[in-house]
Amino acid sequence: MKGAQSTCHHSYTLSFLLVLIQLFHPTHSIDVNTLSSTESLTISSNRTLVSPGGVFELGFFKPSALPRWYLGIWYKEVSEKAYAWVANRDNPLSNPIGTLKISGNNLVLLGQSNNSVWSTNLTRGNISSPVVAELLPNGNFVVRYFNNNNDTPSGFLWQSFDFPTDTLLPEMKLGYDRKTGRSRFLTSWRSFDDPSSGDVTYELDIQRDLPEFFLKKKDIEVERSGPWNGIEFSGGIPKDQELNYMVYNYTDNSEEVTYTFLIPNQSIYSRLTLIHDSVYLYLFTWIPPSSGWRNLSTGNCDYYNYCGRNAYCDVITSCNCFEGFDRIYRRQWDWLEQSEGCVRRTPLRCSGNRFLLLKQMKLPDTKMARVDWRINLKKCEERCLSDCKCTSFAAADVRNGGTGCLMWTGDLIDTRNYSIGGQDLYLKVPARDIVLISDEKRDINGKIIGWTIGVSLILILSVIVFCFWKRRQKQAKAAATPIVKNQVLMNRVVLPRHRNLSEENRVEDLELPLIEFEAVLAATKHFSDCNKVGKGGFGTVYKGSGYMSPEYAMEGIFSIKSDTYSFGVLILEIISGKRNKGFYNSGRDHNLLECVWRNWKEGQGLEIVDTVIIDSSSPTFRPREILRCLQIGLLCVQARADDRPLMSAVVFMLGSEAADIPQPKPPGYCVIGTSPETYSTWSEQKDHELCTVNQITMSIIDAR
């Protein structure tokens, strides 16, 4: 009995210890990236494959409430789920019974009753040698022999990168395989929750001397990449100009003609994706520690043949004729509509022609072009000049000063210009038109300069005389103004000369500062008419000393670009929720503009945005639009007035979906310091204060 009790006691003790082990040392799931011939993935098991590094995950997913299940690959770490590849996009499982397994040398997806829904369809290879399926770190799902550790495409029996859906990942190729005859292209989803093949495609057209990518919707050309120029496609593929983290590669040889891009920085995720309800190709980028994808697309100017023939699109001024051409239908462009384009002012002849250089252009559609790689740019010019049918030419490869000759015959279709990028295009025009163009410009410039000087001199003399006369009147009026103790009588209203503050109210409120009356008199020069801004229902408004542009504050130079500067400061104040006056950042930045510029250069533009605006949980949070407004604000406050856009251009940029906004240059501000990239000046204020750049207005109340 004793032995039995002892055995029973030890049994209970062992069971108790096993329970504790289970409680405090639970089984940890280990991510795997391979599927052997003896394993399978099922919908019911909820098992997935995870790539080394944990970026990508492969498994089953159900995108909508409809009974449709798919096998796909998605980004694992990003909270906003993005699918990179779908196997059975056009043949979904109709119930939650699905199995992915290896059968012979093939990957097969089986549905109910073991019917095949999708397969790799491999027919070659050694059936006796076992194979394994593997999810690679770059998101490529491959099938290879078990004993072959070659991670290059030559060692794969099959790879998902050969069958893209709607997304191009880094290292994935788009284009044409001349060995197999396979064309790799993108096809959008049918809708946001339906992965089946949609109406939008992005494919390389190789039926021309220089291949180009075309985005089509229902086989209608919507967007064109332009030809490869040795460095990049001349247009049509969105590029992030803020961060130069992408490396582009184009291959054209006897085996393939393909395009791919690389991301050397493995912490940055980027993908090119077609959206079902859009006609643009989008570049999505996720940069830790941000919580979501930032996206960049092409704009209206990249819409195929947006301005018609012999015209080019500009993101600021929209459609424009080439020099020497006139619009066909003026009314169409007056309403910013797509038009028939332009025609030559003077028909081309076989002689007496010259070339106009058009810089930073997207090259025209190469359908009516031919290329000769044997000659350089100089020989190309001579050939085009002697060819009666040639209308323009460009270098086929811009490297090494330009090699190869690309010549167009007939009208030029689908061109635009860029603030950054593009290439030189040489347009053939009659020499007579070039002379007329030069004379017209010279006459116009001469007239503008003459009128400007004449009107300016008259205005300056008038203002000087008027201000002198009014100042004498104001001085006489101020001398006659009755003063009783600490009060001044003005416009029948008694105003205090000094403010009496209690001890608890002596700290000045920066949001609504109180100003001594003597300071107002000095700032407005005794309410001089020269300082009058305007008059409304509440009385007259006078200006004081500044947000003034740096050229006006320091040199007294005023222009229409000065208003642009003030507007830019207001934009940045609204976005940041901080005022330029009194800005303090632990000594790191002298003022708000310097803080915004520093964060912009470091790619941390969202860091300065007011927390009230940057609420990522809000459905109205759109970081791309915020960064766009920030970029426009920085364009407005650039140091050089010539670099700032006109207010009409600012309004166009704020209201347009166009993505090609110029990159800003350093802002201008009046601070202590010797920063070489800012428009700055020294000040003798005490304690290294900022120069005063705040504007003051004072209203004198009149009865209605």
Side-chain angles (χ1 to χ4, degrees):
M1 288 292 292
K2 257 186 181 179
Q5 289 177 354
S6 176
T7 301
C8 184
H9 173 73
H10 286 301
S11 177
Y12 287 142
T13 302
L14 181 60
S15 299
F16 180 71
L17 289 174
L18 288 174
V19 169
L20 288 178
I21 290 172
Q22 291 293 325
L23 286 174
F24 293 101
H25 296 277
T27 303
H28 293 283
S29 61
I30 300 175
D31 291 337
V32 295
N33 72 313
T34 59
L35 184 72
S36 70
S37 58
T38 60
E39 298 173 309
S40 64
L41 293 182
T42 62
I43 295 177
S44 58
S45 69
N46 205 30
R47 182 190 167 201
T48 62
L49 300 183
V50 178
S51 65
V55 177
F56 296 98
E57 187 172 22
L58 178 144
F60 292 97
F61 69 97
K62 183 173 177 286
S64 70
L66 296 174
R68 296 172 181 169
W69 284 262
Y70 300 88
L71 176 71
I73 299 173
W74 57 86
Y75 284 88
K76 178 176 170 49
E77 294 183 342
V78 185
S79 57
E80 186 180 345
K81 183 161 286 189
Y83 297 95
W85 180 76
V86 183
N88 58 322
R89 65 182 309 184
D90 293 314
N91 193 15
L93 295 163
S94 58
N95 53 57
I97 300 175
T99 303
L100 178 69
K101 60 182 294 187
I102 294 175
S103 176
N105 280 349
N106 275 296
L107 262 178
V108 293
L109 177 59
L110 304 176
Q112 195 173 21
S113 303
N114 283 332
N115 61 307
S116 179
V117 174
W118 172 85
S119 171
T120 54
N121 289 325
L122 292 174
T123 57
R124 60 185 176 84
N126 184 2
I127 300 178
S128 62
S129 181
V131 299
V132 63
E134 182 178 5
L135 182 60
L136 301 181
N138 60 2
N140 193 9
F141 190 40
V142 304
V143 176
R144 59 175 175 81
Y145 288 118
F146 179 76
N147 56 1
N148 184 358
N149 293 320
N150 185 358
D151 283 339
T152 62
S154 61
F156 303 149
L157 299 175
W158 176 92
Q159 60 174 343
S160 63
F161 273 16
D162 282 338
F163 305 91
T165 51
D166 68 326
T167 296
L168 180 70
L169 296 175
E171 301 180 42
M172 181 188 289
K173 295 180 178 180
L174 277 188
Y176 187 74
D177 189 325
R178 290 191 168 115
K179 294 188 300 181
T180 63
R182 179 183 296 117
S183 177
R184 305 184 188 97
F185 59 95
L186 302 181
T187 305
S188 69
W189 284 27
R190 176 67 57 184
S191 66
F192 76 96
D193 59 358
D194 183 0
S196 62
S197 299
D199 297 327
V200 184
T201 61
Y202 194 74
E203 187 171 8
L204 186 67
D205 181 2
I206 62 170
Q207 303 301 320
R208 49 183 68 208
D209 285 354
L210 284 181
E212 299 185 54
F213 279 104
F214 278 88
L215 189 151
K216 298 181 180 180
K217 186 166 187 178
K218 295 182 179 178
D219 295 326
I220 298 175
E221 295 172 346
V222 176
E223 192 174 292
R224 182 180 63 91
S225 69
W228 181 262
N229 62 17
I231 298 176
E232 61 183 0
F233 288 101
S234 65
I237 295 182
K239 299 177 285 291
D240 195 331
Q241 304 290 358
E242 300 173 24
L243 301 172
N244 297 321
Y245 55 81
M246 299 178 70
V247 178
Y248 309 98
N249 184 45
Y250 179 77
T251 303
D252 189 352
N253 54 33
S254 60
E255 295 186 350
E256 62 180 350
V257 49
T258 55
Y259 164 80
T260 188
F261 71 96
L262 307 174
I263 307 291
N265 187 344
Q266 298 299 315
S267 65
I268 297 177
Y269 306 154
S270 283
R271 56 188 173 94
L272 286 167
T273 301
L274 289 179
I275 304 299
H276 70 280
D277 59 351
S278 175
V279 290
Y280 300 120
L281 182 66
Y282 285 82
L283 171 65
F284 288 92
T285 303
W286 185 71
I287 304 176
S290 60
S291 58
W293 295 94
R294 56 183 288 187
N295 65 79
L296 180 70
S297 72
T298 48
N300 289 341
C301 277
D302 287 294
Y303 198 90
Y304 185 75
N305 201 22
Y306 183 70
C307 293
R309 55 193 169 122
N310 302 318
Y312 68 95
C313 186
D314 182 275
V315 70
I316 303 298
T317 60
S318 191
C319 293
N320 308 269
C321 287
F322 291 127
E323 292 186 354
F325 291 73
D326 292 320
R327 301 177 184 179
I328 297 176
Y329 300 114
R330 180 176 297 274
R331 179 174 296 180
Q332 284 184 311
W333 282 3
D334 290 341
W335 294 96
L336 296 179
E337 294 178 357
Q338 189 174 357
S339 75
E340 292 296 323
C342 306
V343 292
R344 286 186 180 273
R345 199 174 297 158
T346 305
L348 277 179
R349 299 181 181 274
C350 288
S351 61
N353 301 312
R354 300 270 297 280
F355 290 101
L356 283 177
L357 171 60
L358 307 177
K359 301 186 73 66
Q360 296 180 302
M361 300 294 292
K362 173 184 178 180
L363 296 185
D365 192 342
T366 57
K367 188 180 299 182
M368 300 299 293
R370 61 184 186 271
V371 64
D372 188 341
W373 291 102
R374 299 169 300 176
I375 61 176
N376 58 23
L377 199 60
K378 182 63 178 175
K379 292 291 184 182
C380 187
E381 178 181 359
E382 295 173 0
R383 179 176 295 182
C384 183
L385 199 60
S386 61
D387 187 337
C388 296
K389 294 182 179 180
C390 179
T391 55
S392 63
F393 75 93
D397 191 324
V398 298
R399 295 173 297 181
N400 302 319
T403 58
C405 177
L406 185 59
M407 295 197 310
W408 283 264
T409 58
D411 293 325
L412 304 181
I413 304 296
D414 188 40
T415 61
R416 63 160 298 178
N417 66 2
Y418 294 97
S419 58
I420 299 176
Q423 70 181 87
D424 293 345
L425 175 66
Y426 297 86
L427 178 66
K428 184 194 279 188
V429 294
R432 173 177 175 273
D433 283 357
I434 292 182
V435 174
L436 289 176
I437 291 168
S438 301
D439 290 343
E440 287 174 2
K441 286 185 176 179
R442 193 179 301 112
D443 290 343
I444 292 172
N445 291 337
K447 290 178 180 178
I448 291 174
I449 293 172
W451 276 101
T452 302
I453 294 174
V455 172
S456 298
L457 287 175
I458 294 173
L459 287 176
I460 291 171
L461 290 174
S462 301
V463 169
I464 291 173
V465 172
F466 180 76
C467 288
F468 179 77
W469 175 68
K470 292 300 292 183
R471 184 175 183 183
R472 294 293 298 269
Q473 281 195 331
K474 289 294 181 180
Q475 287 175 345
K477 184 178 179 181
T481 300
I483 300 177
V484 181
K485 294 185 178 179
N486 288 330
Q487 295 179 336
V488 175
L489 179 63
M490 177 146 315
N491 284 26
R492 301 178 298 280
V493 178
V494 177
L495 301 176
R497 288 174 58 89
H498 300 281
R499 40 183 216 267
N500 297 318
L501 297 178
S502 61
E503 201 62 40
E504 61 184 11
N505 290 328
R506 288 191 180 275
V507 179
E508 182 178 5
D509 181 6
L510 287 177
E511 295 300 322
L512 189 62
L514 297 176
I515 303 171
E516 297 289 353
F517 185 72
E518 280 79 359
V520 176
L521 284 175
T524 62
K525 297 184 180 178
H526 285 264
F527 302 102
S528 168
D529 282 347
C530 293
N531 281 45
K532 182 189 290 187
V533 176
K535 185 173 183 180
F538 289 97
T540 305
V541 180
Y542 296 87
K543 71 176 181 179
S545 55
Y547 291 113
M548 291 191 296
S549 59
E551 69 272 9
Y552 182 60
M554 292 180 284
E555 300 175 18
I557 300 174
F558 184 81
S559 70
I560 56 176
K561 299 294 187 72
S562 300
D563 289 337
T564 303
Y565 180 89
S566 302
F567 183 76
V569 177
L570 291 176
I571 290 180
L572 300 180
E573 286 187 335
I574 292 171
I575 294 175
S576 64
K578 298 179 177 65
R579 295 189 62 191
N580 195 37
K581 175 189 175 184
F583 179 84
Y584 179 71
N585 190 24
S586 303
R588 190 174 185 183
D589 303 301
H590 292 95
N591 59 18
L592 177 62
L593 301 190
E594 187 173 2
C595 178
V596 173
W597 175 247
R598 177 178 56 78
N599 280 277
W600 177 265
K601 286 199 304 181
E602 296 172 358
Q604 302 293 328
L606 291 177
E607 294 297 323
I608 61 96
V609 179
D610 192 348
T611 54
V612 175
I613 300 176
I614 191 165
D615 181 7
S616 59
S617 63
S618 171
T620 60
F621 174 60
R622 294 182 174 87
R624 182 188 173 204
E625 294 183 8
I626 295 173
L627 287 171
R628 193 152 162 269
C629 291
L630 195 65
Q631 185 175 353
I632 294 171
L634 286 171
L635 285 174
C636 293
V637 298
Q638 294 177 105
R640 296 182 69 253
D642 291 341
D643 294 331
R644 299 175 207 143
L646 293 171
M647 281 305 300
S648 58
V650 174
V651 173
F652 179 83
M653 288 187 285
L654 288 172
S656 170
E657 292 295 327
D660 187 32
I661 298 176
Q663 289 300 310
K665 297 177 182 177
Y669 40 79
C670 187
V671 299
I672 297 297
T674 56
S675 175
E677 61 175 1
T678 58
Y679 193 122
S680 60
T681 185
W682 289 95
S683 170
E684 297 180 357
Q685 298 186 63
K686 297 179 180 179
D687 300 325
H688 301 283
E689 294 175 348
L690 301 178
C691 297
T692 303
V693 290
N694 295 298
Q695 183 126 0
I696 303 170
T697 61
M698 178 67 186
S699 296
I700 297 191
I701 303 171
D702 283 322
R704 289 179 181 268

